[in-house]
Amino acid sequence: MSVSLFDILGPITVGPSSSHTAGAVRIGLACRMLMGEEVKKAKVTLYGSFAETAIGHGTDKAVVGGLLGHRPADIENRDSLDIAKKLGMQITFAEAQESRYHPNTVKIEAESVTGKKFKMRAASVGGGSIVINSINEFTIETPCNQDTLVIIHLDIPGMLSALTTVMAWAGYNISNMTLKRTKRNGEVVSIIETDVPVADDTVSMLRMTKNVNQVIRIPRF
Amino acid sequence: MYISGIEALINDSKEKNIPVWQLMMELECEDTGVPIDKIYERVSNVYSVMKQGIKDGLESNLMSVSGLSGGDARLYNNQIEKHSSMLSRFHSKAIAYSLATSEHNASMGIIVAAPTAGASGILPGVLVAAQEEFGFDDDTAIKALLTAASIGTVIAIRATISGAQGGCQAECGAGAAMAAAAAAFVTGSPFEECAHAATLALKNCLGLVCDPVAGLVEVPCVKRNGVFASLAITAADMAKSGIRSFIPPDEVIDTMYQIGVTMPPSLRETSKGGLALTPTGIEVAKRMNKL
């Protein structure tokens, strides 16, 4: 196990709980970043301990704060429900139980200002750290603690080689890489983590690669 | 970074002939590529946020979202201002400041989760009170934070700092251990003595359960932060007299973990036992927490 100095002297965040508040902000923020656009509508479903202690921990405000683009240390998280309302963002909450999920799980079904639909499920796993468990129909497992690329492409031979060639050519070291598909010959999500942020031109190259449908960049946050 | 234990930390620091606080920055730099001066700057920012949290916590007097906590830091601070505390000024201020940070946390204020949000009051409470009363510069406080972080890092690696895994001994216990090390550091202790200060604090809360009422970081967490500032100071003061933990630091940390994992889950942050299941606890849980 490896620990960062600022896991111990941090994170700097709004209280009262690193898992139920800071982690919840990060889940909302991850959703906002993955959508790449401002959120217009969102249905937020809280599971397990998140559902049971949401009000007292401000988990509801935290998730919405993240959806607004706030970070865990932004004091605006306190008033995020009012801010969202003023901006005309429509938020609904629901509670559910699912024993297979981590006890601190959130599902977000969102629609962006341009009408793009997106859903994700993530868990807050302690100390403000999160794991994204699904994006749209893909089941994944990514912690968002590195600079991350989420690449959706076709399930055909040679794709990984094509993607890693772009990365190698641009001089990026891949620190972690996973690949998941929904079904054979369907779509695949490849998640590539790097030590340093990937520049715009490399992201464009990846987007132009044949049979790549979508490239989303999530900066380390 | 990976540090195998307190003993290894002492050996590495001797081998490289650098103090532990410097070793911590070098290890972080190796891991992340962030230059040392930037790491120092970030720790300095951590300290500023800690000071601000105390100030805001004392001034704002906000109640928490649930209404279960708030106002106690000010109550205790009034007693200090009236010179009617039984304790020394440093000791009583550390308690007031720990309560202030913890209440600030409960009211969605900005805090440093060092090591966690639930135990975020102890380290800043002790360190900021020490700076005010003993008058050292911020550079010393930053080095004390790095020294405290070395203890917290070893606890996180060898054991856990999560209440869900190890009970309150893992959260407030780790917080008190870090604060004890910081208090020893700023009063001139070598690292080995800081480590024993930390160990004495941790050893004397072994077995402590995490049983928050209604699942919230408030009851008993806020007042426990205050009481544990006192534990940290007592442990540091004993270590400074030359008292050493009979069981070595790494063995005490391992024991904390063993006790944590054998604790029933009902007493590990699930609010299914302990104070959470008292008649009062149940009644509070019933009226709280509906979306």
Side-chain angles (χ1 to χ4, degrees):
Chain A
M1 181 191 171
S2 176
V3 170
S4 156
L5 177 59
F6 297 100
D7 292 336
I8 303 297
L9 294 180
I12 296 173
T13 174
V14 291
S17 163
S18 34
S19 55
H20 287 63
T21 319
V25 177
R26 296 187 78 230
I27 288 173
L29 183 58
C31 180
R32 166 72 182 78
M33 285 178 173
L34 282 159
M35 288 182 78
E37 289 174 16
E38 280 176 32
V39 180
K40 181 159 187 290
K41 263 192 220 171
K43 182 183 173 197
V44 178
T45 308
L46 303 175
Y47 292 85
S49 169
F50 261 18
E52 283 162 26
T53 64
I55 298 285
H57 279 134
T59 307
D60 51 343
K61 295 177 184 171
V63 174
V64 173
L67 287 173
L68 286 165
H70 296 161
R71 314 231 153 205
D74 290 340
I75 194 68
E76 289 81 8
N77 287 317
R78 256 187 191 163
D79 308 314
S80 66
L81 298 182
D82 295 335
I83 296 171
K85 201 180 245 174
K86 269 184 208 143
L87 293 173
M89 197 190 264
Q90 300 160 40
I91 309 281
T92 51
F93 288 99
E95 288 178 23
Q97 294 301 331
E98 175 53 75
S99 58
R100 288 171 304 158
Y101 294 170
H102 185 283
N104 297 337
T105 290
V106 188
K107 186 170 79 185
I108 304 173
E109 293 153 276
E111 198 182 308
S112 75
V113 283
T114 63
K116 198 165 82 180
K117 290 202 170 141
F118 178 79
K119 64 181 175 190
M120 67 171 264
R121 176 166 55 83
S124 177
V125 295
S129 300
I130 65 168
V131 172
I132 299 180
N133 302 115
S134 76
I135 293 176
N136 292 331
E137 65 274 29
F138 296 106
T139 303
I140 57 166
E141 197 178 313
T142 190
C144 288
N145 58 0
Q146 299 279 342
D147 289 287
T148 304
L149 293 172
V150 178
I151 304 170
I152 295 167
H153 54 82
L154 296 186
D155 185 26
I156 51 171
M159 285 308 297
L160 275 194
S161 164
L163 297 176
T164 53
T165 301
V166 173
M167 297 298 284
W169 178 80
Y172 289 103
N173 187 34
I174 295 175
S175 58
N176 194 17
M177 182 162 183
T178 56
L179 173 155
K180 285 279 165 67
R181 64 181 182 184
T182 46
K183 62 173 200 282
R184 195 171 167 185
N185 299 326
E187 265 188 333
V188 177
V189 61
S190 285
I191 295 171
I192 296 178
E193 293 173 7
T194 54
D195 293 326
V196 293
V198 176
D200 289 345
D201 56 348
T202 309
V203 172
S204 303
M205 291 271 296
L206 289 167
R207 282 195 180 123
M208 286 187 295
T209 304
K210 209 174 159 198
N211 298 317
V212 167
N213 295 342
Q214 204 181 350
V215 179
I216 305 165
R217 177 173 45 182
I218 316 174
R220 182 195 294 241
F221 72 99
Chain B
M1 69 180 79
Y2 179 79
I3 307 168
S4 66
I6 301 285
E7 208 186 309
L9 203 55
I10 293 172
N11 291 340
D12 283 2
S13 131
K14 272 187 193 149
E15 222 168 81
K16 292 190 177 165
N17 201 22
I18 52 171
V20 165
W21 56 262
Q22 193 177 336
L23 181 62
M24 288 301 289
M25 288 200 288
E26 288 188 4
L27 289 172
E28 181 71 10
C29 169
E30 257 173 46
D31 239 26
T32 59
V34 177
I36 301 268
D37 59 329
K38 291 274 176 248
I39 294 171
Y40 183 92
E41 216 171 90
R42 263 187 88 180
V43 181
S44 166
N45 181 47
V46 159
Y47 192 50
S48 304
V49 174
M50 285 177 165
K51 285 201 257 193
Q52 191 62 42
I54 290 169
K55 198 163 169 278
D56 292 348
L58 279 175
E59 278 170 11
S60 73
N61 217 20
L62 270 181
M63 291 303 282
S64 65
V65 185
S66 69
L68 294 184
S69 64
D72 287 342
R74 186 175 279 195
L75 209 56
Y76 192 77
N77 204 48
N78 287 345
Q79 180 174 267
I80 300 173
E81 280 170 4
K82 282 188 282 177
H83 298 281
S84 45
S85 169
M86 286 189 263
L87 303 173
S88 77
R89 209 167 156 76
F90 159 53
H91 197 156
S92 54
K93 270 186 160 182
I95 294 170
Y97 293 177
S98 296
L99 288 170
T101 304
S102 214
E103 284 179 350
H104 191 53
N105 178 57
S107 66
M108 287 191 91
I110 295 168
I111 53 91
V112 184
T116 64
S120 60
I122 309 166
L123 177 59
V126 171
L127 188 55
V128 173
Q131 187 178 32
E132 285 180 10
E133 291 308 305
F134 305 145
F136 47 83
D137 55 13
D138 277 2
D139 179 59
T140 305
I142 288 160
K143 289 168 182 166
L145 282 177
L146 287 160
T147 306
S150 75
I151 304 287
T153 302
V154 173
I155 296 175
I157 288 172
R158 282 184 86 108
T160 173
I161 53 166
S162 144
Q165 268 189 297
C168 193
Q169 52 162 10
E171 291 208 25
C172 283
M178 291 167 69
F185 180 85
V186 298
T187 49
S189 291
F191 182 74
E192 183 267 344
E193 200 159 275
C194 298
H196 274 269
T199 307
L200 289 172
L202 186 62
K203 201 166 73 169
N204 287 292
C205 64
L206 288 178
L208 190 69
V209 303
C210 176
D211 52 355
V213 167
L216 304 177
V217 192
E218 297 187 56
V219 179
C221 322
V222 170
K223 293 176 193 103
R224 183 161 296 157
N225 273 262
V227 171
F228 270 39
S230 190
L231 170 71
I233 291 167
T234 306
D237 210 38
M238 282 167 69
K240 292 182 67 62
S241 76
I243 295 174
R244 295 291 173 265
S245 171
F246 186 83
I247 309 290
D250 289 329
E251 291 181 32
V252 170
I253 293 169
D254 294 348
T255 302
M256 187 274 274
Y257 185 67
Q258 281 312 317
I259 293 171
V261 294
T262 47
M263 224 177 244
S266 62
L267 299 173
R268 282 190 268 140
E269 214 181 312
T270 53
S271 297
K272 294 194 167 118
L275 293 169
L277 284 200
T278 53
T280 306
I282 291 169
E283 193 265 316
V284 168
K286 265 189 200 150
R287 71 182 146 86
M288 285 290 311
N289 290 320
K290 279 287 139 207
L291 272 173

